[in-house]
Amino acid sequence: MRGITWRRADLRAADIRTGLKWKLSAAIALVGALVAVALSLVVHNAARVSMLDNARDLADERIQIAQRNYELSGRPNFPNVKVDDPRLPEPLREKVHQGRRATYVTDADGGPDIWAAVPVQDGRVLSLHTGFTDRSTDILNDLDQALVIGSIAVVLGGSAIGVLIGGQMSRRLRKAAVAAGQVAQGEPDVRVRDAIGGVVRDETDDLARAVDAMADALQQRLEAERRVTADIAHELRTPVTGLLTAAELLPPGRPTELVLDRAKAMRTLVEDVLEVARLDGASERAELQDILLGEFIARRVAAKDPDAEVRIVHESEVTTDPRRLERVLFNLLANASRHGKPPVEVTVEGRVIRVRDHGPGFPEALLAEGPSRFRTGSSDRAGRGHGLGLTIAAGQARVLGARLTFRNIRPAGAPEYVPAEGAVAVLWLPEHAPTNTGSYPMLP
C-alpha cells in the first residue's frame, strides 16, 4: 500500500512537471481562438453590411432610373421592376405610402433579398426586387474561408508559442527542482540559481535566489549546531574519562558496578555524539580495501552476536572500508537485538547485506523520514538507547557510498494495520566504491 501511495505521488509530481507547458499552451491557444473567432465575426458582419449597403445604393439608383422611365412612357421598362407588386414587404409599403423612396432587405433561404420602392404620380408603387449577387456571395464565402484558415493558423501559432514559452519555464522549474533536491540530500555546494542559468530576471529567478538564501541560512544553522554538539561532546570526554577511571578505583560491590555501568554508558554516548558530529561535517573519508564480503560478515557477526544466523547466498569481492562496514553491521545487530526479537538473521547476497529480526518492526516515523538522533521509537519512552545507532549506521553508509534502507515484514497482501512480523535493514554496497578523496570514479 505504501508503494502505491508513493507511485501516486510520483504520478502527481510528473503531472505538475509536464502540465505547466501544456496548460500554458492551452491557455494561449484558447485566448487566440477566442480572439480569432471574435475578429472573424466582426470582419464577416462588417463585410456583409458593407456589401448590403452597396447593393441597396445600387437598387436605389436603379429605382430612380425606372421611375423616370415610367413617368415618361407610362409603363415599367426596366428589368425586375414591377408596379404594385403584391410581394412588397409591408414595412417598405408603409414608407412608400408616406411618399418616401426607400430600400429594404429581407432574409431568404438563398441569401438576402434587396427591395427598392418609390411612389409614382398616378398613386401607384413602383418596386425593384433583386437578390444578393453571386459575385458578392462568392466574395463573402472566400472571406469566410480565409477567416477560418487564419483562425486555425492563429490557434496553431499560439499553441506553438505556448509550448515554447511553457517549455522554457518548465525546464527552468525542473532544473530548480532538481537542484533543490540535491540541496535537500546534503550537497551544500549546489545553487539553484546557477542550475537554472539564463540572464532573464523573472519569478523563477527570484524563487531560485530565495531557495539559495534559505539553504545558506539553514546550512549555517546546521553547521553551528554541529559545532556546538561537537564542542560539548569533546569537552565532556575528559571529565567522563576521569569519572570512569575514578569509578574503577572504588571498592568492589554493587554500588561500584552501578557507577561503572552508568559511566561506561555516558562515555559511549559521548563517543557516539562525536561520531555523529564528524559524519555531519562531511569530512570523513573511506580507507578502502578489497575483502570477501561473505567471509568478512560471517566472522564479524560471530564475534558480535554468536546467536545470529548468517547465510551467504552469493559471495563477492568488494572494495570498501572494513572498519566503517563493521561499524554499520554492529549497529544494525545491536538495534535488532535491543528492539527486535530473536532469531536475528544476516543474509549476504552479492553486494547486499540484510539484517532481519522477528520483532514488532520499525516505527512508522523511521520508515517515512529515516533515522533520527535521540529518537528510539520506543512506545514506553523509557529510553532503551539514545537513537544514535541507526543514525551512525546511515552516516557511515553514506561515507561508503552505500544505501541503507528499512522496511517491515508483513504477510503477503496484509494491510498496514496488521502488526509486522519483523524488521529488515538492507545495506546496498555500491559497485564502484568512493575514492580516498570522497569522490566517485567516472563510469564509462
Side-chain angles (χ1 to χ4, degrees):
M1 183 68 71
R2 182 175 300 275
I4 295 176
T5 303
W6 279 111
R7 284 194 293 272
R8 289 176 178 171
D10 293 340
L11 289 176
R12 287 195 296 269
D15 290 340
I16 294 174
R17 287 197 300 269
T18 58
L20 177 62
K21 175 172 64 177
W22 301 114
K23 288 178 181 178
L24 184 60
S25 174
I28 294 178
L30 179 60
V31 172
L34 293 176
V35 172
V37 170
L39 290 178
S40 298
L41 292 176
V42 170
V43 172
H44 173 85
N45 290 331
R48 186 174 183 274
V49 169
S50 177
M51 291 181 179
L52 287 176
D53 289 341
N54 293 333
R56 293 175 71 169
D57 292 340
L58 181 60
D60 185 63
E61 293 177 359
R62 289 180 176 179
I63 198 64
Q64 294 182 51
I65 297 174
Q67 180 186 11
R68 289 194 295 268
N69 292 340
Y70 181 81
E71 292 176 349
L72 291 175
S73 62
R75 57 187 179 88
N77 56 359
F78 199 88
N80 299 326
V81 173
K82 294 183 180 180
V83 179
D84 294 334
D85 190 348
R87 296 179 303 165
L88 190 68
E90 191 61 31
L92 181 59
R93 188 186 302 275
E94 293 178 357
K95 290 184 179 181
V96 173
H97 287 329
Q98 296 173 4
R100 299 168 54 187
R101 186 181 76 253
T103 59
Y104 190 76
V105 177
T106 59
D107 291 327
D109 295 338
D113 288 339
I114 295 90
W115 293 83
V118 61
V120 292
Q121 295 177 352
D122 54 2
R124 308 180 73 179
V125 177
L126 195 66
S127 62
L128 172 67
H129 178 208
T130 59
F132 213 41
T133 62
D134 293 339
R135 182 173 181 274
S136 298
T137 304
D138 293 340
I139 293 175
L140 199 59
N141 292 336
D142 292 341
L143 178 62
D144 291 341
Q145 185 177 3
L147 290 175
V148 170
I149 295 175
S151 299
I152 295 175
V154 168
V155 172
L156 294 179
S159 300
I161 294 175
V163 169
L164 292 177
I165 298 176
Q168 183 179 6
M169 293 180 60
S170 180
R171 284 192 297 271
R172 287 167 63 86
L173 291 175
R174 191 174 291 119
K175 290 179 181 179
V178 171
Q182 293 175 345
V183 173
Q185 292 175 2
E187 300 184 20
D189 296 332
V190 176
R191 289 295 176 267
V192 179
R193 179 63 189 86
D194 297 336
I196 64 177
V199 296
V200 178
R201 183 70 180 269
D202 57 7
E203 289 79 2
T204 306
D205 185 85
D206 295 338
L207 175 62
R209 294 180 186 277
V211 172
D212 289 339
M214 180 184 65
D216 291 338
L218 182 61
Q219 185 66 26
Q220 291 174 3
R221 291 187 58 181
L222 292 177
E223 182 63 22
E225 292 179 2
R226 187 192 66 81
R227 286 197 301 267
V228 170
T229 303
D231 292 342
I232 293 175
H234 188 272
E235 293 297 327
L236 286 175
R237 292 183 70 180
T238 301
V240 169
T241 301
L243 177 63
L244 183 61
T245 302
E248 292 175 347
L249 298 177
L250 294 175
R254 181 59 180 168
T256 300
E257 294 177 359
L258 293 176
V259 172
L260 279 173
D261 180 69
R262 293 298 88 193
K264 291 179 180 179
M266 184 176 295
R267 182 180 64 179
T268 301
L269 174 60
V270 171
E271 295 295 336
D272 288 347
V273 171
L274 277 175
E275 185 173 359
V276 169
R278 289 195 301 268
L279 292 172
D280 287 344
S283 59
E284 297 288 288
R285 296 292 179 265
E287 299 177 1
L288 304 178
Q289 296 181 20
D290 294 334
I291 61 172
L292 290 175
L293 185 60
E295 178 185 350
F296 177 84
I297 296 299
R299 287 190 285 107
R300 294 300 189 272
V301 171
K304 176 67 176 178
D305 187 359
D307 295 332
E309 303 176 6
V310 180
R311 186 165 65 98
I312 303 175
V313 179
H314 176 65
E315 180 66 280
S316 63
E317 182 177 353
V318 299
T319 302
T320 187
D321 187 332
R323 180 181 65 84
R324 298 183 188 278
L325 179 59
E326 179 184 89
R327 179 67 161 152
V328 175
L329 177 64
F330 283 1
N331 282 13
L332 295 180
L333 289 173
N335 182 80
S337 300
R338 182 179 295 115
H339 299 287
K341 294 181 180 179
V344 177
E345 302 172 352
V346 180
T347 305
V348 180
E349 185 175 357
R351 297 175 177 273
V352 181
I353 305 169
R354 295 180 176 86
V355 179
R356 180 191 175 181
D357 61 68
H358 291 74
F362 292 114
E364 293 298 327
L366 185 144
L367 296 177
E369 304 172 10
S372 178
R373 65 194 69 176
F374 301 110
R375 182 176 66 187
T376 63
S378 178
S379 59
D380 57 6
R381 307 289 292 178
R384 293 190 301 164
H386 303 284
L388 296 178
L390 293 183
T391 303
I392 292 174
Q396 295 291 5
R398 286 194 299 270
V399 177
L400 296 176
R403 183 164 59 98
L404 184 59
T405 61
F406 306 92
R407 65 184 179 91
N408 292 332
I409 302 298
R410 286 187 172 86
E416 290 189 357
Y417 61 81
V418 175
E421 297 180 348
V424 179
V426 185
L427 181 67
W428 312 73
L429 292 176
E431 183 176 356
H432 297 272
T435 64
N436 291 331
T437 62
S439 61
Y440 290 82
M442 296 297 294
L443 298 179

